Amino acid sequence: MHGLLRIGQVSKLYGISIDTLRHYDKKGLLKPIIHDQNDYRYYALEHLDILEMILVGKYMEIPLNQMKEIIDSENIHGYLSMINKQKELINEKKRLLDQLDQYTENMEKLLTTISNFKNDYTFSTASSWKELDLTIYRVDFEKLLNDSTKSQKTVGVESFEQWGFYHSKSDGTIIEDEELVGFSFPPSVINTDIFQEKIKSASENKLISPYHVAGHYEKIMFWGIKSDLMDYLYKLCSHFGLKNSNILVKYKFALLHKNMDHEYFVEIFFPKNSV
């Protein structure tokens, strides 16, 4: 058949497999001319126009079923609508990649800090943190585990910070409230309708309770296992004379160990001049 290309020739010309061309045929996207006598598949130049459009769609990550709808529509506005929608998806991917890039950069800085960090047992590096003004959402684990409602998942791991709650008693003993864990979120998450709906639902089910923290706090870093953290908090409270005080610990990173005795890099916030 003159002026036609065999399936193998089209495969070589465009660098795609014969199976892919057959797949396009099965999807109804690219129907070849089939010879009556030998069942060979042939493609005319007009078929190649369609194939090139399919490959453009593949390059732009447009699903085949959408490509078929657009090709079947035979309407220029359909192509324009498809491109506009794909542009929106691409812009969203770029936004997410920018977020991932920023998260990766922040993690690299954090790990570099940890690798060079040594605990300060003189507490001379404690610094004022006047700007502390945030809401921590405290989660009651026991109620959460017994809750039969839908998942309370709201955002990705890069969008929240985990907090622990500690208390120094009058005799200097440090107590951790193991039944509570706290999460704080950036304004970009808090101000979304989805977040507010989930927070409202969780609050109504008494799964979480907002805990507003504001005031003049001191901050110091610590790196080590949980038992060493408790010892560090005891020494910190003794040094600053902190009694009957609430201490907040923000968990920044966990170095995991097979024996489950993980090491934590944390920021410790404690009230200044508490007695």
Side-chain angles (χ1 to χ4, degrees):
M1 302 179 75
H2 298 290
L4 298 179
L5 297 173
R6 294 267 299 272
I7 188 171
Q9 293 174 313
V10 175
S11 172
K12 291 180 180 179
L13 181 63
Y14 286 90
I16 57 179
S17 69
I18 291 176
D19 286 341
T20 297
L21 289 169
R22 287 174 175 164
H23 179 65
Y24 294 158
D25 181 7
K26 290 180 180 179
K27 298 287 287 187
L29 274 161
L30 187 62
K31 288 289 185 182
I33 301 169
I34 300 179
H35 196 282
D36 293 336
Q37 297 179 355
N38 55 26
D39 287 337
Y40 285 169
R41 296 164 183 258
Y42 294 91
Y43 296 86
L45 293 179
E46 291 78 10
H47 286 97
L48 302 187
D49 292 336
I50 298 174
L51 177 58
E52 288 173 4
M53 181 56 66
I54 294 171
L55 295 178
V56 167
K58 182 179 180 181
Y59 176 73
M60 296 181 65
E61 298 183 352
I62 299 174
L64 287 180
N65 61 331
Q66 290 185 22
M67 286 301 305
K68 185 178 187 308
E69 290 178 6
I70 297 303
I71 292 173
D72 290 347
S73 73
E74 302 180 357
N75 189 309
I76 191 65
H77 298 293
Y79 284 90
L80 180 59
S81 175
M82 175 186 69
I83 292 300
N84 287 335
K85 288 180 181 179
Q86 200 62 18
K87 186 176 181 180
E88 291 177 3
L89 291 174
I90 290 170
N91 287 334
E92 177 63 14
K93 287 183 178 180
K94 287 168 64 177
R95 186 186 68 80
L96 293 174
L97 283 174
D98 287 341
Q99 276 189 346
L100 180 60
D101 181 58
Q102 185 62 56
Y103 177 74
T104 304
E105 183 177 338
N106 292 341
M107 182 60 72
E108 181 184 26
K109 290 179 180 178
L110 176 62
L111 294 177
T112 300
T113 298
I114 295 173
S115 66
N116 298 315
F117 182 81
K118 293 186 182 300
N119 290 320
D120 173 21
Y121 285 92
T122 68
F123 306 106
S124 60
T125 57
S127 58
S128 296
W129 196 259
K130 297 179 181 179
E131 299 83 3
L132 190 60
D133 183 6
L134 78 161
T135 298
I136 301 174
Y137 295 91
R138 298 192 292 190
V139 180
D140 188 317
F141 270 144
E142 183 177 354
K143 290 181 180 179
L144 182 64
L145 292 174
N146 293 328
D147 180 54
S148 59
T149 61
K150 295 181 180 179
S151 169
Q152 299 300 320
K153 181 180 178 181
T154 56
V155 290
V157 66
E158 73 283 1
S159 299
F160 66 81
E161 293 178 308
Q162 182 178 340
W163 296 76
F165 302 95
Y166 295 80
H167 183 77
S168 63
K169 298 176 67 176
S170 58
D171 61 358
T173 305
I174 304 298
I175 299 176
E176 178 187 8
D177 194 339
E178 296 181 347
E179 297 300 321
L180 291 177
V181 64
F183 298 96
S184 60
F185 303 85
S188 59
V189 173
I190 293 175
N191 295 331
T192 62
D193 292 338
I194 293 177
F195 180 86
Q196 290 298 328
E197 289 177 6
K198 287 184 175 290
I199 287 298
K200 181 180 179 182
S201 174
S203 298
E204 290 174 350
N205 292 319
K206 298 182 179 180
L207 299 176
I208 66 170
S209 58
Y211 178 74
H212 189 68
V213 181
H216 196 135
Y217 279 74
E218 298 281 315
K219 182 183 77 169
I220 196 167
M221 310 288 197
F222 172 82
W223 170 240
I225 61 176
K226 206 67 173 286
S227 59
D228 288 342
L229 171 61
M230 296 295 286
D231 180 62
Y232 191 79
L233 292 176
Y234 173 78
K235 292 178 179 177
L236 176 99
C237 291
S238 297
H239 180 84
F240 288 103
L242 301 177
K243 296 181 179 180
N244 296 317
S245 299
N246 293 321
I247 302 167
L248 300 172
V249 173
K250 180 164 67 174
Y251 291 87
K252 304 288 290 183
F253 182 79
L255 179 61
L256 308 180
H257 291 279
K258 293 179 180 179
N259 65 358
M260 304 302 286
D261 202 8
H262 307 319
E263 294 177 80
Y264 297 96
F265 185 70
V266 303
E267 292 177 340
I268 302 169
F269 294 86
F270 56 97
K272 188 177 182 180
N273 297 329
S274 177
V275 181

